[in-house]
Amino acid sequence: MKADTHPDYHMITVQMTDGTTFQTRSTWGSEGDTLVLEVDPTTHPAWTGGTQRVNEGGRVAQFNKRFGGLSLKKN
């Protein structure tokens, strides 16, 4: 490897939202730092099966709210 072209790769501690910790190698922070997660696989709705709010307030929902009462009936 060329000198001074790669970031420092060192051991850090990762703290999950439930307080559990594990050690891993990373380029984040400095040797011995603790990375505290705000969202992790134990709490994120995408991994836990929680409610997804995809269709609330989207473009189609806004259109239906605004024009949902109109109809195209022939007289």
Side-chain angles (χ1 to χ4, degrees), residues 5-71:
T5 59
H6 298 281
D8 181 35
Y9 196 56
H10 48 269
M11 293 297 290
I12 65 165
T13 303
V14 178
Q15 181 178 353
M16 305 287 268
T17 56
D18 63 356
T20 59
T21 61
F22 65 92
Q23 288 195 334
T24 187
R25 293 178 55 92
S26 175
T27 58
W28 179 86
S30 302
E31 178 79 28
D33 283 352
T34 300
L35 175 63
V36 180
L37 300 178
E38 294 177 3
V39 176
D40 62 21
T42 62
T43 60
H44 195 281
W47 292 298
T48 61
T51 59
Q52 294 182 359
R53 299 173 59 184
V54 175
N55 293 329
E56 290 183 17
R59 300 300 294 165
V60 174
Q62 289 176 1
F63 178 85
N64 288 335
K65 181 178 176 184
R66 188 170 180 186
F67 300 109
L70 298 178
S71 63

